[in-house]
């Protein structure tokens, strides 16, 4: 007997009809409210699930700890003894909207279960438990029953965290959401921390705005005696960054702007990053956000975070690299222009410092001089002169005996090197002393042998990497005092002047 033939159009019509019947059945069963999960919600709120408005707010995944702290603070106000509950259903529930899950509960796909928890960082060496997926019954500020649902970033989904508020009336749910948001900001775990932005290779298909990961870093501890710069340079930097911040109230009262931009420039290895670390140790109460490398694609979210958490410092390392990068940011601009636009977008009365470092200031000249006011102080961190090199040698050997009555000849032999070179010189000298056995003692023959090793022709690449002697390297004291009218510790190059302005 010949089987009947069904054409494609008829098959599609039958399939749609079957789908509609199944969905209608799920809705009817779900509206009965006779499953444990639905009873937990509808009996508390006092209305059927299909009449409950869905009020939600999303944040970047790195706000998960703040969301948890905001919800915890809200529950402490309204329902200190509230108990969380979860939803069963395996992996699909992590990618299904909450209201859709509740609509399908009657069909047996989802039901009451234990809460999912995860661990989130709240500091460089601290973490806390947070709800990965769960619900809790509480009340609105006016006493109306509501249910809060929290969802953290899914492992294989968009890196966002989500708060949903279920209530009989939308205005009630919105009021609860706004209160949670205010409490999130009050208990912000990022305030006063040092943060770095990064990205996950597993989230490459999602928007850069949502794929940023924030990590906590320990705050450096450095004294001024550990920063070796020409006379007056460190004082100039501190006055611009540290003292201006400590006098924020007085500056505002005098009608002066607080936002400031500092550019540290000079050859690699001269101590720009070290100087930044010293400044961070002085700004103990400020939030610091450090951007470098691929993380610069998140300059928009990072600047928004700096605005939110003032007093703050946004550090952009090796800004010359983004000046050469012509790829476009998520906002459609080359990254350097995006950075300058973000600096410009921060209000003048915002207590935020933009601290940029570069090895090749000449690449930035055109962009910065065409946009005056983004950077209002540029300071050169030069190769150290003889006095600086001797101070660096004593700094890097401070924990071992230095038996060199007259270090002059050794210091003269290191003309043109950087701080990084001298640090490695001291380390190699210690290794040579250890090789000889007995107590570590750095005498002139040991230091000379370590220096000869670094200056050997076979160490040419190492010497270059460490900032060893280079042809025509600028050596000696700064030719201009820090108060030079251009605003530079030393002029960075012919014709390059940064002017204060709008």
């Amino acid at each position: 007997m010949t089987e009947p033939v069904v054409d494609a159009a008829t098959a599609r019509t039958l399939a749609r009809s079957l789908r509609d019947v199944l969905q209608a059945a799920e809705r009817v069963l779900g509206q009965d409210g006779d499953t444990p999960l639905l009873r937990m919600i509808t009996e508390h709120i006092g209305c059927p699930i299909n009449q409950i408005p869905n009020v939600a707010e999303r944040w970047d995944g790195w706000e998960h700890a703040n969301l948890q702290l905001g919800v915890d603070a809200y529950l402490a106000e309204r329902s200190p003894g509230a108990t969380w509950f979860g939803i069963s259903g395996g992996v699909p529930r992590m990618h299904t909207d909450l209201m859709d899950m509740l609509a399908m509960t009657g069909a047996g796909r989802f039901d009451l279960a234990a809460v999912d928890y995860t661990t989130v960082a709240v500091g460089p060496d601290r973490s806390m438990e947070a709800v990965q997926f769960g619900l809790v019954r509480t009340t609105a500020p006016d006493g109306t029953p509501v249910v809060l649902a929290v969802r953290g970033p899914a492992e294989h989904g968009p890196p966002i965290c989500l708060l949903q508020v279920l209530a009989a009336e939308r205005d009630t749910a919105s009021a609860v959401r706004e209160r949670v948001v205010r409490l999130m900001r009050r208990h912000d775990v990022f305030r006063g921390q040092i943060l770095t932005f990064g990205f996950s290779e597993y989230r490459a298909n999602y928007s850069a705005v949502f794929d940023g990961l924030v990590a906590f870093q320990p705050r450096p501890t450095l004294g001024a005696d550990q920063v070796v710069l020409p006379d007056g340079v460190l004082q100039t930097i501190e006055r611009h960054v540290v003292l201006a911040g400590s006098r924020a109230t007085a500056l505002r009262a005098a009608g002066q702007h607080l936002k400031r931009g500092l550019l540290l420039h000079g050859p690699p290895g001269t101590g720009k990053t070290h100087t930044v670390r010293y400044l961070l140790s002085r700004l103990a109460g400020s939030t610091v956000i450090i951007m470098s490398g691929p993380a610069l694609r998140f300059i928009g979210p990072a600047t928004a975070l700096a605005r939110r958490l003032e007093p703050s410092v946004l550090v952009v390392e090796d800004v010359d690299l983004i000046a050469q990068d012509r790829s476009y940011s998520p906002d459609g601009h080359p990254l350097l222009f995006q950075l300058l636009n973000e600096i410009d977008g921060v209000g003048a009365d915002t207590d935020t410092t933009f601290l940029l470092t570069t090895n090749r200031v000449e690449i930035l000249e055109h962009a910065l001089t065409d946009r005056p006011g983004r950077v209002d102080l540029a300071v050169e961190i030069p190769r150290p002169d003889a006095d600086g090199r001797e101070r660096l040698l004593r700094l890097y050997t401070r924990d071992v005996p230095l038996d060199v009555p007259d270090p002059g000849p050794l210091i003269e032999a290191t003309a043109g090197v950087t701080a990084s070179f001298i640090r490695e010189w001291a380390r190699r000298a210690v290794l040579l002393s250890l090789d000889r056995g007995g107590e570590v003692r750095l005498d002139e023959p040991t230091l000379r042998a370590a220096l000869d090793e670094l200056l050997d022709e076979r160490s040419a690449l190492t010497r270059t990497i460490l900032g060893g002697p280079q042809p025509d390297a600028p050596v000696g004291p700064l030719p201009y005092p820090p108060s030079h009218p251009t605003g530079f510790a030393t002029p960075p190059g012919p014709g390059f002047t940064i002017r204060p302005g709008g």
Side-chain angles (χ1 to χ4, degrees):
M1 185 174 62
T2 305
E3 295 184 1
V5 177
V6 180
D7 61 87
T10 302
R12 281 194 293 270
T13 301
L14 290 172
R16 291 193 189 100
S17 298
L18 180 59
R19 179 197 60 193
D20 293 343
V21 168
L22 292 174
Q23 289 177 346
E26 288 177 348
R27 286 194 297 271
V28 171
L29 290 171
Q31 290 168 11
D32 290 343
D34 58 358
T35 68
L37 174 60
L38 289 181
R39 283 198 299 272
M40 288 285 286
I41 296 172
T42 57
E43 290 179 3
H44 179 69
I45 294 177
C47 67
I49 199 68
N50 63 340
Q51 295 180 18
I52 298 176
N54 179 19
V55 174
E57 181 134 359
R58 293 170 173 79
W59 291 271
D60 294 324
W62 38 268
E63 295 276 13
H64 194 181
N66 287 329
L67 173 57
Q68 185 65 52
L69 291 173
V71 171
D72 286 347
Y74 184 87
L75 294 176
E77 290 181 347
R78 304 300 311 171
S79 312
T83 302
W84 289 83
F85 58 96
I87 299 179
S88 65
V91 174
R93 69 201 164 99
M94 299 307 298
H95 305 282
T96 304
D97 179 75
L98 174 63
M99 302 308 291
D100 289 340
M101 280 189 282
L102 296 178
M104 292 185 283
T105 298
R109 294 194 185 183
F110 305 99
D111 210 338
L112 192 64
V115 184
D116 291 339
Y117 289 95
T118 188
T119 301
V120 292
V122 293
D125 53 5
R126 295 185 299 117
S127 60
M128 60 173 274
E129 272 197 344
V131 172
Q132 177 65 22
F133 187 31
L135 301 90
V136 62
R137 299 189 298 185
T138 183
T139 59
D142 63 1
T144 304
V146 298
V147 173
L148 305 182
V150 170
R151 189 184 300 224
E155 183 178 358
H156 300 293
I160 61 172
C161 53
L162 174 69
L163 171 69
Q164 291 175 274
V165 185
L166 309 182
E169 301 293 335
R170 188 176 68 178
D171 289 347
T172 300
S174 296
V176 172
R177 178 189 59 190
E178 294 307 312
R179 179 59 182 163
V180 171
V181 171
R182 287 195 294 273
L183 290 169
M184 286 174 63
R185 297 302 163 240
R186 181 182 299 176
H187 298 278
D188 202 315
V189 298
F190 298 139
R191 188 173 301 280
Q193 300 272 14
I194 295 183
L195 311 168
T196 57
F197 270 73
F199 66 96
S200 170
E201 62 185 28
Y202 301 107
R203 303 189 189 277
N205 294 329
Y206 293 99
S207 167
V209 173
F210 295 117
D211 128 279
L213 304 174
V214 173
F216 296 88
Q217 304 296 331
R219 190 173 293 271
T221 303
L222 290 174
D225 60 331
Q226 295 175 271
V227 183
V228 177
L229 295 175
D231 290 343
V233 172
L234 186 59
Q235 292 86 340
T236 298
I237 294 170
E238 286 191 273
R239 183 170 63 248
H240 190 68
V241 176
V242 181
L243 295 183
S246 67
R247 297 166 180 166
T249 301
L251 284 170
R252 281 195 179 103
Q256 302 303 308
H257 69 86
L258 294 181
K259 182 181 73 173
R260 47 213 180 271
L262 170 65
L263 176 67
L264 300 181
H265 63 94
T270 53
K272 297 182 292 298
T273 298
H274 189 71
T275 303
V276 170
R277 287 171 55 80
Y278 169 73
L279 292 174
L280 302 190
S281 72
R282 290 291 314 276
L283 297 166
S286 296
T287 304
V288 179
I289 304 167
I290 301 175
M291 311 289 292
S292 62
L296 286 164
R297 62 193 288 208
F298 307 116
I299 190 65
T303 306
L305 194 59
R307 279 195 296 262
R308 185 176 101 199
L309 298 174
E310 63 168 317
S312 58
V313 180
L314 182 59
V315 179
V316 182
E317 297 186 307
D318 298 321
V319 69
D320 51 290
L321 298 181
I322 64 169
Q324 298 175 83
D325 184 356
R326 305 305 298 173
S327 61
Y328 286 85
S329 70
D331 290 340
H333 302 289
L335 283 175
L336 178 61
F337 295 155
Q338 172 77 2
L339 169 62
L340 297 176
N341 289 340
E342 293 292 346
I343 295 175
D344 195 43
V346 173
D349 62 345
T350 302
D351 189 359
T352 297
T353 299
F354 290 88
L355 208 170
L356 317 181
T357 71
T358 180
N359 296 329
R360 301 182 60 189
V361 71
E362 68 278 1
I363 293 177
L364 304 177
E365 292 186 20
H366 182 71
L368 292 177
T369 54
D370 281 356
R371 294 167 176 79
R374 274 66 167 185
V375 171
D376 37 33
L377 177 67
V379 177
E380 182 182 19
I381 308 297
R383 295 175 185 270
D385 60 9
D387 177 68
R389 296 195 300 279
E390 182 172 346
R391 289 165 57 200
L392 285 166
L393 176 62
R394 296 187 183 280
L395 172 65
Y396 294 134
T397 59
R398 64 189 182 278
D399 296 324
V400 295
L402 182 62
D403 184 14
V404 183
D406 179 16
L410 286 170
I411 297 302
E412 184 179 351
T414 60
V417 306
T418 65
S420 295
F421 184 94
I422 294 178
R423 181 174 56 189
E424 177 60 17
W425 175 29
R427 190 186 73 87
R428 292 203 184 192
V430 170
L431 286 174
L432 287 176
S433 181
L434 287 170
D435 288 343
R436 294 168 183 169
E439 179 186 4
V440 174
R441 178 173 294 277
L442 301 185
D443 53 19
E444 183 168 354
T446 303
L447 285 166
R448 174 68 68 180
L451 181 59
D452 289 344
E453 183 179 292
L454 280 171
L455 295 177
D456 187 273
E457 288 185 3
R458 291 169 294 181
S459 300
L461 179 57
T462 299
R463 193 163 58 250
T464 299
I465 293 172
L466 293 174
Q470 302 294 317
D472 303 319
V475 181
L478 294 172
Y480 294 87
S483 57
H484 190 272
T486 62
F488 289 84
T490 59
F496 183 33
T497 303
I498 293 181
R499 305 173 299 278

